[in-house]
């Protein structure tokens, strides 16, 4: 899944537009929580790769 998110990350603005209005705040919370967790992990992977 991380690989898929990494590939999707450059298109985040397009993803936001595509998903706009499709999630209630209640349903969006788990997605935001996962993304908030993935971002630091991605940064750690980038540092390790460097």
């Amino acid at each position: 899944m991380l690989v898929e998110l990494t590939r999707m990350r450059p298109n985040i603005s397009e993803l936001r537009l595509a998903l706009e209005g499709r999630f209630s705040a209640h349903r969006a919370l788990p997605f935001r929580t996962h993304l908030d967790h993935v971002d630091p992990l991605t940064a750690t992977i980038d540092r390790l790769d460097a």
Side-chain angles (χ1 to χ4, degrees):
M1 172 126 179
L2 184 60
V3 171
E4 289 143 4
L5 285 175
T6 303
R7 282 187 278 164
M8 292 179 357
R9 182 67 60 189
N11 301 319
I12 202 75
S13 61
E14 290 178 37
L15 289 170
R16 280 193 179 126
L17 284 173
L19 296 173
E20 194 170 300
R22 297 185 185 254
F23 291 100
S24 65
H26 173 74
R27 292 186 185 268
L29 180 62
F31 289 101
R32 179 75 263 160
T33 302
H34 288 296
L35 286 174
D36 289 345
H37 184 68
V38 167
D39 288 339
L41 294 174
T42 301
T44 300
I45 290 168
D46 292 343
R47 281 195 314 270
L48 291 170
D49 285 343

